[in-house]
Amino acid sequence: MNDKSIIELFRNRDEQAITELKLKYDTLCCHIAGNILSQREDIEECINTAYYDIWNRIPPDEPDDLKTYLCRIVKNKAIDRLKYNTAAKRSSQLSVSLDELAECIPDRQQDDMSAKKLAEVISRFLRTQDERHRKIFVRRYWYGDSLSKIAEYFGMNEKTVATYLFRTRKKLKEFLKKEGFEHE
């Protein structure tokens, strides 16, 4: 079933929408949550909570891209669960990748611009990058893949992947600065 049909099921409050969403995207959701969380129970709870949230959000939300919409919710739920599970401990691989990004993305609390505007600028930046750099960046910071997993996926050396990411973050920081997002 295509995404538009699934969204229509949600609009009609048809419970089949959840079933269809699971059939189509459960593996992807498990991958995203699994890269952030280590406990199977946490992963399942996170995904089920995301499905429940989508049920409650559509309508009124009208996502243009159901896959991206779902992935964002799953990722945010998984990060919330990770924060809850680890409280003050910062030992996960995801924490490392988020720390890497913190070097170039400004703290939104200190910035007047909205998170949506920041996301649009980052998306625009990524469209200016060549395909390989963009995919490596997304695998690391969207899907939470490890350097070794990315290196294996692209048939590269881990150090090369780390260098690509470092250079892309540096370019992103400069791009954000030109767009009015100062980082300090």
Side-chain angles (χ1 to χ4, degrees):
M1 181 174 275
N2 68 34
D3 288 357
K4 289 189 185 284
S5 300
I6 295 172
I7 291 171
E8 191 59 37
L9 290 173
F10 277 108
R11 279 193 208 113
N12 295 331
R13 309 311 291 159
D14 186 336
E15 291 181 16
Q16 185 66 25
I18 298 290
T19 304
E20 295 296 333
L21 193 65
K22 283 183 181 182
L23 281 172
K24 189 165 185 180
Y25 293 118
D26 206 51
T27 303
L28 176 62
C29 291
C30 286
H31 176 79
I32 292 169
N35 279 340
I36 298 169
L37 302 167
S38 57
Q39 299 293 321
R40 196 179 105 239
E41 297 82 13
D42 286 342
I43 294 167
E44 289 173 1
E45 181 181 335
C46 167
I47 294 168
N48 288 331
T49 302
Y51 292 150
Y52 179 75
D53 275 11
I54 287 180
W55 177 261
N56 288 327
R57 291 180 183 189
I58 302 175
D61 285 1
E62 298 278 336
D64 294 328
D65 183 345
L66 182 62
K67 179 180 175 182
T68 302
Y69 185 79
L70 172 63
C71 289
R72 181 177 43 84
I73 292 171
V74 169
K75 182 178 179 187
N76 289 339
K77 293 292 177 193
I79 290 170
D80 289 347
R81 172 52 78 171
L82 177 68
K83 287 177 183 174
Y84 175 81
N85 287 350
T86 59
K89 296 180 253 172
R90 303 223 356 136
S91 60
S92 81
Q93 186 175 321
L94 180 69
S95 294
V96 172
S97 68
L98 293 177
D99 287 345
E100 291 170 4
L101 267 184
E103 298 170 1
C104 59
I105 295 180
D107 183 1
R108 289 189 316 242
Q109 294 172 348
Q110 297 175 354
D111 201 75
D112 297 4
M113 299 183 190
S114 70
K116 185 175 181 180
K117 171 79 171 147
L118 178 61
E120 289 170 3
V121 171
I122 292 171
S123 292
R124 199 168 65 240
F125 164 77
L126 288 173
R127 286 191 294 271
T128 68
Q129 301 304 298
D130 69 63
E131 183 178 2
R132 179 170 263 198
H133 282 83
R134 181 176 56 248
K135 286 183 175 180
I136 288 171
F137 188 90
V138 169
R139 298 258 17 136
R140 179 72 170 158
Y141 302 116
W142 180 257
Y143 292 107
D145 287 351
S146 67
L147 294 178
S148 61
K149 195 173 195 177
I150 296 169
E152 181 182 330
Y153 183 82
F154 288 99
M156 300 169 69
N157 180 306
E158 275 186 58
K159 289 187 183 250
T160 305
V161 170
T163 301
Y164 273 34
L165 290 167
F166 174 77
R167 290 178 180 163
T168 305
R169 287 192 314 270
K170 189 175 176 182
K171 289 178 193 175
L172 174 60
K173 185 175 182 176
E174 288 303 313
F175 189 86
L176 290 171
K177 189 182 272 188
K178 288 177 185 173
E179 292 292 323
F181 288 91
E182 289 295 325
H183 183 276
E184 286 301 324

